[in-house]
């Protein structure tokens, strides 16, 4: 969390004096930064009736990485919520991306820092909310799976959901959403499926940036509200062309936070103990033909070009 302020030196694990001086921030007003599993005091009896020790504090996406058991270098998780977030464990090395991804701290345990490479998608589940609440063409998110299954293809319709700009690896805050490939045959179902597909395409762009940075990705672990959709999970595996593991616990952020606190009070003695609590619900394997996959990705990148003009 300290590293997100951009005034914390993630290499030395101290507040960066040079940046503090530039911004005229006195170091004395900043908190002492502890390990992710540490003694942070106790809750107040006036609020919780009993005093409970606080032994773990960790960021949202980092917690999900722990809940997915991403403890090995190269292990990668993707959380699909309102937005979507990819974190890859890079071990004890700070990997400086040349493709617009973020170098960050994954967690620090027993004064040993584990780093990560991260990318973010601004609109994932928020796109489905838009279909429901603004366009009002669906009543519930769960109908999108059946609708997508009933379509043989996307009929060359692509949706770039840049409602608030595009995140990594484009970082274009001025971009706005576009819907391309419309014909008189285009209907509600094509738009719904294109919205789902956009999540997989945006994820491909993130992982492709990691590959350009020299990282080999053999599989990913996924969680979040959107992964209840089996069609999306399979399409994701097809587009990424790798195996996708869906966590048995979809809310792995909460799980990771609990596991870190458990480590802090000694319930878990090692990261291996924590890993045993991270279980896979279902495995999705790529089935799409390579030529068709490339055709779909080409259509997506043409839509991106139109968006960024």
């Amino acid at each position: 969390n300290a590293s997100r302020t951009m005034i914390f030196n993630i290499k030395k694990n101290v507040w960066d004096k040079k940046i503090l001086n530039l911004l005229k921030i006195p170091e004395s007003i900043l908190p002492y930064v502890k390990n992710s599993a540490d003694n942070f005091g106790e809750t107040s009896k006036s609020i919780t009736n009993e005093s409970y020790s606080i032994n773990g504090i960790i960021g949202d996406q980092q917690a999900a990485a722990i809940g997915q058991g991403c403890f090995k270098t190269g292990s990668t998780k993707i959380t699909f919520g309102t937005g979507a977030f990819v974190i890859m464990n890079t071990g004890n090395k700070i990997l400086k991306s040349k493709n617009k991804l973020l170098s960050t701290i994954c967690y620090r345990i027993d004064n040993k820092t584990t780093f990560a490479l991260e990318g973010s998608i601004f609109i994932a589940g928020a796109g489905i909310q838009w279909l429901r609440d603004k366009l009002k063409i669906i009543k519930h998110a769960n109908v999108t799976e059946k609708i997508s299954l009933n379509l043989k293809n996307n009929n060359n319709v692509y949706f770039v959901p840049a409602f608030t700009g595009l995140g990594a690896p484009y970082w274009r805050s001025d971009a706005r959403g576009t819907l391309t490939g419309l014909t008189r045959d285009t209907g509600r179902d094509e738009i719904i499926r294109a919205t789902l597909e956009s999540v997989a395409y945006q994820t491909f762009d993130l992982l492709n940036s990691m590959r350009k940075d020299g990282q080999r990705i053999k599989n990913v672990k996924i969680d979040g509200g959107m992964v209840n959709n089996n069609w999306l999970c399979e399409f994701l595996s097809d587009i990424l062309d790798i195996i996708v593991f869906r966590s048995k616990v979809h809310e792995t952020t909460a799980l990771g936070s609990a596991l870190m606190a458990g480590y802090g009070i000694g319930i878990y003695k090692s990261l291996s103990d924590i890993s045993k609590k991270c279980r896979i619900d279902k495995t999705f394997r790529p089935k799409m033909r390579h030529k068709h996959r490339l055709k779909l990705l080409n259509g997506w990148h043409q839509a991106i070009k139109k968006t960024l003009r």
Side-chain angles (χ1 to χ4, degrees):
N1 284 335
S3 70
R4 287 299 202 242
T5 65
M6 297 181 73
I7 57 175
F8 188 75
N9 187 315
I10 65 174
K11 186 176 182 180
K12 297 180 180 179
N13 275 293
V14 294
W15 297 109
D16 195 298
K17 294 186 185 306
K18 185 177 180 180
I19 299 176
L20 293 181
N21 289 333
L22 284 170
L23 299 176
K24 298 181 180 180
I25 300 173
E27 189 174 353
S28 60
I29 70 170
L30 298 172
Y32 178 74
V33 180
K34 293 192 170 191
N35 290 311
S36 302
D38 217 321
N39 179 9
F40 292 94
E42 297 181 339
T43 63
S44 171
K45 283 186 177 181
S46 64
I47 298 173
T48 56
N49 293 325
E50 298 282 342
S51 287
Y52 299 102
S53 61
I54 303 170
N55 293 89
I57 291 182
I58 192 160
D60 187 357
Q61 300 310 317
Q62 285 80 356
I66 289 168
Q68 287 277 28
C70 292
F71 299 124
K72 293 183 179 179
T73 301
S75 55
T76 305
K77 74 87 193 174
I78 313 171
T79 299
F80 295 99
T82 304
F85 304 88
V86 179
I87 279 188
M88 171 189 282
N89 184 320
T90 61
N92 59 4
K93 294 181 180 179
I94 300 176
L95 183 63
K96 295 183 179 179
S97 175
K98 296 180 180 179
N99 294 279
K100 300 182 180 181
L101 300 176
L102 176 68
S103 302
T104 188
I105 292 174
C106 194
Y107 51 84
R108 191 175 81 191
I109 295 176
D110 300 326
N111 295 319
K112 181 181 178 182
T113 303
T114 296
F115 298 97
L117 196 62
E118 182 176 4
S120 57
I121 296 168
F122 294 160
I123 302 295
I128 305 302
Q129 293 171 353
W130 175 70
L131 297 176
R132 182 193 65 198
D133 301 336
K134 294 297 182 180
L135 294 191
K136 300 186 185 301
I137 57 176
I138 59 171
K139 289 185 177 180
H140 302 286
N142 56 13
V143 304
T144 60
E145 180 175 358
K146 184 178 180 180
I147 289 169
S148 297
L149 277 169
N150 288 337
L151 284 177
K152 290 183 178 180
N153 55 63
N154 70 348
N155 292 319
N156 295 316
V157 175
Y158 289 89
F159 177 47
V160 182
F163 297 142
T164 55
L166 284 174
Y170 302 102
W171 296 118
R172 285 283 299 272
S173 59
D174 61 323
R176 289 298 175 262
T178 57
L179 193 57
T180 68
L182 302 183
T183 69
R184 289 187 65 181
D185 291 329
T186 302
R188 178 195 74 147
D189 292 359
E190 283 79 9
I191 294 173
I192 290 169
R193 177 158 159 170
T195 303
L196 273 182
E197 288 180 344
S198 73
V199 177
Y201 293 137
Q202 290 178 93
T203 305
F204 171 86
D205 289 343
L206 284 183
L207 265 61
N208 197 43
S209 291
M210 290 182 172
R211 291 189 178 105
K212 289 179 180 178
D213 281 327
Q215 303 306 300
R216 294 185 63 190
I217 306 171
K218 296 181 179 179
N219 57 68
V220 294
K221 300 175 180 180
I222 62 172
D223 59 83
M226 292 194 80
V227 304
N228 287 302
N229 188 317
N230 288 313
W231 182 89
L232 174 61
C233 294
E234 181 55 46
F235 187 74
L236 183 69
S237 177
D238 285 338
I239 292 300
L240 300 182
D241 199 27
I242 56 177
I243 296 172
V244 170
F245 297 110
R246 182 171 65 192
S247 172
K248 191 168 186 178
V249 176
H250 293 178
E251 301 302 330
T252 54
T253 293
L255 176 63
S257 301
L259 293 173
M260 186 54 64
Y263 184 90
I265 59 175
I267 292 177
Y268 308 110
K269 304 299 182 184
S270 66
L271 296 183
S272 295
D273 286 347
I274 293 179
S275 293
K276 294 173 184 177
K277 298 294 180 180
C278 308
R279 297 174 182 172
I280 301 301
D281 169 48
K282 190 171 182 178
T283 301
F284 299 88
R285 301 178 186 276
K287 300 174 183 176
M288 186 178 291
R289 291 181 179 179
H290 181 65
K291 187 176 181 180
H292 183 55
R293 175 174 167 271
L294 292 181
K295 180 182 178 182
L296 291 178
L297 285 169
N298 180 63
W300 165 253
H301 290 128
Q302 290 299 318
I304 286 287
K305 286 180 180 178
K306 294 174 183 177
T307 303
L308 298 180
R309 280 179 182 172

